[in-house]
Amino acid sequence: METQRLPKSESNPLDRLNGLLGDDMRSVNALILSNMQAEVPLIPQLAGYLIAAGGKRIRPLLTVACARLYGDIGPRPYALAAAVEFIHTATLLHDDVVDESGERRGQKAANLVFGNQASVLVGDFLFSRAFQLMVGDGSLDILRILSDAAAIIAQGEVKQLATARNLDATMEDYLAVIQAKTAALFAAACETGPIVAGADKSAAAAMCEYGMNLGIAFQIADDLLDYAADSMTLGKNTGDDFREGKMTAPVILAVAQADAKERAFWQRTIADRRPARGDFETALGILKKRETLKNGMAMAQGYVERACLALAEAPDSPLRAILHDVARFTVSRTF
């Protein structure tokens, strides 16, 4: 598929959002760094290895943005944004152990550098630190939202185990996985904003809906990138999901349309784990033939539209306009 570029002035609304909330995010980053310190030196060393590697900080950025969207409420969102980032980082550490990943954020996965045991335990530490930050905020509503999200993410991990290498996995199964693994934390990050700002329940519900649909669109697009991205320019290693046998949107769509020969290919490569040289290129050819990347993008676009519709309930402001562009950028960054 051909690459579609946004106009230069709109090329990355995340940069514009970071620019608008620069002081806030510097405070959030300072809190992240201070709260990953511990008496055991390995903990900040391992946590810092992943956190310092970069990442887009989308989830804490959304936490702050959705609070500022409803008023100037001081530094209160910072600790919650740090908690959201710790939950996310913990899940990445655990994911890489479960998936036996070789790389994360352009460098060796932490479990390959520090070992699986250390990665799991430091992930547990970050989860615990996130809960300390939530309790420190003092809001039972926020504690409920973020703790529920953490539980849902764990369930999503288990659901993904059930769908991996299962050619009978449906699109409904896939959506249930990404709603739990990815979108739940997006939704929770956004929902906390109006609560911090003292807005009503309808505002919190609208931002939760925005975050949920944004997260689903984000993950669908990210999964499509595994089969379409230029890894040098988009920071995504193509073929990882294929090699790990993940049943993501493009493969599920392809399997649903497969003829006998294609079905046998997916059975050998995904279900039976008997890869051969050139299989990934063959997979790309099938996906192109069946137009699954195009159809997957159309699916992601539908969730973007839902996110924008929910965002329309928020107060009109330059910040809302950027959040609207962030949703659009979720799919525009692809292909």
Side-chain angles (χ1 to χ4, degrees):
M1 299 179 69
E2 293 182 357
T3 301
Q4 297 176 356
R5 302 292 184 190
L6 288 174
K8 187 173 182 180
S9 62
E10 302 176 8
S11 60
N12 194 336
L14 288 173
D15 289 342
R16 289 158 49 206
L17 192 57
N18 266 305
L20 186 64
L21 302 174
D23 290 341
D24 290 322
M25 291 308 296
R26 280 185 283 275
S27 296
V28 170
N29 286 329
L31 266 179
I32 289 172
L33 293 174
S34 65
N35 279 278
M36 71 184 193
Q37 302 306 311
E39 293 179 3
V40 181
L42 180 59
I43 292 175
Q45 184 183 1
L46 195 156
Y49 176 81
L50 182 56
I51 290 172
K56 295 172 280 291
R57 295 277 201 276
I58 293 175
R59 295 153 190 83
L61 189 57
L62 289 172
T63 305
V64 174
C66 289
R68 293 281 180 246
L69 191 59
Y70 286 88
D72 183 7
I73 35 69
R76 185 179 169 192
Y78 302 161
L80 300 176
V84 165
E85 183 66 4
F86 282 153
I87 292 172
H88 176 55
T89 304
T91 63
L92 295 183
L93 288 170
H94 290 166
D95 269 356
D96 286 345
V97 172
V98 172
D99 295 340
E100 299 179 347
S101 300
E103 189 170 307
R104 171 73 67 180
R105 294 176 176 171
Q107 62 183 17
K108 277 189 177 181
N111 56 300
L112 295 183
V113 177
F114 299 94
N116 287 337
Q117 293 175 325
S119 289
V120 170
L121 294 173
V122 172
D124 292 344
F125 170 84
L126 294 177
F127 266 127
S128 300
R129 188 67 92 203
F131 277 88
Q132 289 177 326
L133 289 165
M134 294 179 224
V135 170
D137 178 77
S139 168
L140 287 179
D141 283 338
I142 286 175
L143 180 60
R144 173 186 55 79
I145 290 166
L146 292 176
S147 61
D148 283 354
I152 291 169
I153 292 167
Q155 292 179 63
E157 296 284 357
V158 179
K159 286 180 182 178
Q160 181 167 271
L161 288 177
T163 62
R165 304 191 177 281
N166 179 6
L167 296 187
D168 293 326
T170 65
M171 190 59 69
E172 288 73 22
D173 294 329
Y174 166 72
L175 290 172
V177 168
I178 66 172
Q179 183 171 333
K181 277 196 63 177
T182 301
L185 190 55
F186 273 77
C190 294
E191 187 179 1
T192 60
I195 294 175
V196 167
D200 58 27
K201 290 183 178 180
S202 65
M207 289 300 95
C208 179
E209 185 74 8
Y210 169 77
M212 179 63 71
N213 286 290
L214 175 64
I216 293 173
F218 177 91
Q219 190 59 59
I220 293 173
D222 205 58
D223 290 341
L224 295 173
L225 279 170
D226 196 69
Y227 292 92
D230 178 346
S231 61
M232 296 300 292
T233 59
L234 292 172
K236 177 79 173 178
N237 298 314
T238 57
D240 282 354
D241 290 349
F242 177 74
R243 287 183 284 273
E244 292 168 11
K246 291 183 179 179
M247 292 298 292
T248 57
V251 174
I252 290 172
L253 290 169
V255 170
Q257 303 175 67
D259 57 26
K261 183 178 179 181
E262 291 167 356
R263 177 83 186 189
F265 170 80
W266 295 119
Q267 179 68 36
R268 177 177 62 80
T269 57
I270 297 291
D272 297 341
R273 301 190 71 172
R274 291 189 292 110
R277 181 175 296 180
D279 279 345
F280 183 60
E281 289 72 22
T282 300
L284 294 180
I286 294 173
L287 299 187
K288 182 177 180 180
K289 173 185 175 183
R290 298 300 181 183
E291 296 188 323
T292 65
L293 299 181
K294 176 182 176 182
N295 294 333
M297 282 303 300
M299 184 190 310
Q301 185 63 50
Y303 285 100
V304 168
E305 297 303 327
R306 295 183 195 181
C308 292
L309 186 63
L311 186 62
E313 301 296 319
D316 189 12
S317 69
L319 182 53
R320 189 183 79 171
I322 296 176
L323 288 172
H324 181 277
D325 290 345
V326 166
R328 298 279 181 208
F329 182 68
T330 297
V331 292
S332 298
R333 71 197 173 108
T334 324
F335 314 127

